[in-house]
Amino acid sequence: MYSIGLTGGIGSGKTRVADLLAEWGAAVIDTDDISRGLTAAGGGAMAAIVAGFGPVAADPSGALDRAWMRELVFRDPEARGRLEAILHPLITAATVRASEAAAGAPYQVFVVPLLVESGRWRERVDRICVVDCDPDTQVERVGRRSGLTPEAIRRIMAVQVPRATRLAAADDVIVNDGATTPLQLMERARALHDRWLELAGAKDRAVHVGQQAPRP
């Protein structure tokens, strides 16, 4: 099935874009949603996380204490590696299951915040789409919705690849800066949705005749 890797920095608006694509019929598989499910109370990763990091890693409900873990992995790369070793195989398996279950959609969208950083997605998807905005807009949006300080938000941004690196990896870009209106964002996303439908149809026809669809 034709597939898009959708990414963007924190606060870029990729979730809104994904929601629009889902409304228009794409199968959206959000790895952040999968991760949140795995680290919720009773989630499939919590036993291993508590075993690896101790009871302090869980909040009173039994879910991952995200604030505690965020502070730990920012100051301790080894801890980040241990957490990723627990989560990544589980996320991958859940992503594969979700992809197989969505086989009837016109195309699939994999929402992956750290798509470029992972280095594993380039060969898994047909195209990479970046939702892009300037850093100041990122800080303002995230602060408004989360209550995090600008310093904390910039620390999160610092562990993501630079904006230029993300854009260099993109086949398609949706601009969603501070001047972008909701209508403009919708129009930009819709234009790409229509284009991806065309490309998905071209790939499907090529597969049926035993050829590989060209990459525009």
Side-chain angles (χ1 to χ4, degrees), residues 93-144:
T95 300
V96 169
R97 291 193 297 270
S99 176
E100 292 172 347
Y107 68 90
Q108 295 183 343
V109 179
F110 296 94
V111 185
V112 188
L114 300 181
L115 182 149
V116 177
E117 291 87 339
S118 75
R120 298 189 299 271
W121 281 92
R122 174 72 277 176
E123 302 305 318
R124 297 184 184 183
V125 296
D126 292 287
R127 298 182 77 82
I128 291 175
C129 178
V130 169
V131 183
D132 179 61
C133 71
D134 59 278
D136 288 342
T137 299
Q138 290 180 261
V139 172
E140 190 275 329
R141 285 176 179 162
V142 177
R144 186 171 64 238

Side-chain angles (χ1 to χ4, degrees), residues 8-14 133 138-139 142 145 148 153 156-157 160 166:
I10 184 173
S12 63
K14 59 186 173 295
C133 71
Q138 290 180 261
V139 172
V142 177
R145 77 188 186 203
L148 292 172
I153 297 166
I156 295 171
M157 292 166 60
Q160 300 182 335
R166 191 182 296 113

Side-chain angles (χ1 to χ4, degrees), residues 26-128:
V28 174
I29 301 164
D30 191 323
T31 59
D32 250 4
D33 286 346
I34 291 171
S35 177
R36 282 190 288 269
L38 290 168
T39 56
M46 284 310 300
I49 289 173
V50 171
F53 293 91
V56 70
D59 67 18
S61 75
L64 177 67
D65 187 328
R66 294 183 176 277
W68 180 88
M69 185 62 76
R70 186 186 305 119
E71 288 299 317
L72 176 64
V73 300
F74 278 150
R75 66 174 184 266
D76 185 349
E78 188 271 338
R80 174 185 292 274
R82 287 192 287 129
L83 180 64
E84 291 175 347
I86 293 170
L87 285 176
H88 284 178
L90 296 173
I91 293 172
T92 297
T95 300
V96 169
R97 291 193 297 270
S99 176
E100 292 172 347
Y107 68 90
Q108 295 183 343
V109 179
F110 296 94
V111 185
V112 188
L114 300 181
L115 182 149
V116 177
E117 291 87 339
S118 75
R120 298 189 299 271
W121 281 92
R122 174 72 277 176
E123 302 305 318
R124 297 184 184 183
V125 296
D126 292 287
R127 298 182 77 82
I128 291 175

Side-chain angles (χ1 to χ4, degrees), residues 125-198:
V125 296
D126 292 287
R127 298 182 77 82
I128 291 175
C129 178
V130 169
V131 183
D132 179 61
C133 71
D134 59 278
D136 288 342
T137 299
Q138 290 180 261
V139 172
E140 190 275 329
R141 285 176 179 162
V142 177
R144 186 171 64 238
R145 77 188 186 203
S146 70
L148 292 172
T149 66
E151 293 75 18
I153 297 166
R154 291 189 184 278
R155 286 173 58 196
I156 295 171
M157 292 166 60
V159 302
Q160 300 182 335
V161 296
R163 182 185 185 189
T165 302
R166 191 182 296 113
L167 288 171
D171 299 297
D172 303 298
V173 176
I174 297 175
V175 175
N176 186 31
D177 56 22
T180 301
T181 67
L183 178 59
Q184 287 173 326
L185 180 63
M186 182 183 300
E187 290 172 342
R188 292 164 186 171
R190 184 72 200 202
L192 281 177
H193 168 73
D194 292 342
R195 175 60 174 152
W196 294 335
L197 286 176
E198 294 176 2

